[in-house]
Amino acid sequence: MSSTILDKIIAHKRQEVADRKTLVPTALLERSIYFGSQPVSLRKYVQRPDLTGIIAEFKRKSPSKGTINAYAPVERTSIGYMQAGASALSILTDSNFFGGKNEDLTTARKFNFCPILRKDFVVEEYQILEAKSIGADAILLIAAVLSKEEVSQLAQFAHSLGLEVLLEVHDREELERTVTPHVDLIGVNNRNLHDFSVSLQTSIDLAQYIPNDFVKVSESGLSEAKSILELREHGYEGFLIGETFMRHSRPEKACLAFVEELKKLSAVNQVSFSK
């Protein structure tokens, strides 16, 4: 996504949220069967030594790639991701630009106990209430579109509902401008906002600037298992992977093959499975 597309997405999102607040008031969200449930910790699952650290994403399309996979079923794919050894799920709920919907996350929730990250463009507290009501365990905050005050406020509100927060940054400026003790994980998006290019070097370069209080997550461009081993050397414990799996007709099988390759490489390098 270019910064121009991101601006367009956020403008659309603000209108979308305003419309939804009229249709589905807060009181109705709070009556959801999920609202009183105890969320599962994304941070803890990403760090579990018996799992891979992979946050497997369900994503039908994107502004930069167009349609990726319009037909994969959420139920089969999400269950398959977890059976393959993923640590958590990321479900896109943005409809206009990513082809997702809230029901995708609720479906994944019905069939999986693992942590689920609601992947969307959060700009106000209503969306966090909504995330809780559809069964999410964590939300995404994007530094490129929020001030430090907004990140802090939204993160604290998420915590008040028991949800964890993944703060996504693209560069050192965004990291230093928005980092706050109120987030739980920091994700480095390896995709350049301006020219769509992807480089794992972005994660490597930023690793030293991320305080050890936060779980480090690398996002985008993770197409080879060997990249996971390299990023672990720089302190990364979480690896958000979507397109690499979703571009296959059976994303869960692509995830399984990726995990099997990761196991082989980990054994060869004599490192523990998740560290």
Side-chain angles (χ1 to χ4, degrees), residues 172 175-176 179 186 204-212 216:
R172 185 178 174 184
L175 173 65
E176 295 180 345
V179 69
I186 293 183
I204 293 170
D205 290 344
L206 279 184
Q208 62 182 311
Y209 300 110
I210 300 174
N212 291 328
K216 297 181 181 71

Side-chain angles (χ1 to χ4, degrees), residues 99-110:
K101 52 185 184 291
N102 289 346
E103 291 78 11
D104 290 339
L105 196 148
T106 303
T107 298
R109 174 81 291 154
K110 288 178 182 176

Side-chain angles (χ1 to χ4, degrees), residues 52-68:
T52 58
I54 292 172
I55 304 171
E57 186 161 272
F58 187 87
K59 174 169 66 175
R60 291 188 177 89
K61 67 178 185 178
S62 76
S64 60
K65 296 291 184 178
T67 299
I68 300 168

Side-chain angles (χ1 to χ4, degrees), residues 53-189:
I54 292 172
I55 304 171
E57 186 161 272
F58 187 87
K59 174 169 66 175
R60 291 188 177 89
K61 67 178 185 178
S62 76
S64 60
K65 296 291 184 178
T67 299
I68 300 168
N69 189 330
Y71 303 107
V74 179
E75 178 182 343
R76 185 184 72 198
T77 304
S78 62
I79 292 172
Y81 276 163
M82 299 317 299
Q83 290 175 337
S87 296
L89 297 169
S90 170
I91 308 292
L92 263 296
T93 57
D94 175 82
S95 175
N96 198 60
F97 297 93
F98 287 86
K101 52 185 184 291
N102 289 346
E103 291 78 11
D104 290 339
L105 196 148
T106 303
T107 298
R109 174 81 291 154
K110 288 178 182 176
F111 296 100
N112 298 277
F113 175 74
C114 68
I116 300 179
L117 170 71
R118 185 198 190 186
K119 192 85 172 289
D120 211 314
F121 299 85
V122 174
V123 291
E124 60 174 274
E125 292 179 357
Y126 177 86
Q127 293 165 280
I128 301 175
L129 290 167
E130 193 176 49
K132 176 75 169 176
S133 76
I134 61 176
D137 303 287
I139 62 161
L140 176 74
L141 295 180
I142 302 174
V145 299
L146 299 167
S147 67
K148 182 168 186 173
E149 292 72 23
E150 288 171 323
V151 169
S152 181
Q153 174 192 343
L154 293 169
Q156 289 183 73
F157 185 71
H159 282 174
S160 75
L161 299 176
L163 303 177
E164 291 184 346
V165 179
L166 170 64
L167 174 65
E168 178 180 289
V169 302
H170 294 85
D171 53 40
R172 185 178 174 184
E173 184 277 327
E174 288 183 3
L175 173 65
E176 295 180 345
R177 177 175 58 79
T178 60
V179 69
T180 165
H182 303 297
V183 304
D184 304 283
L185 311 94
I186 293 183
V188 177
N189 193 324

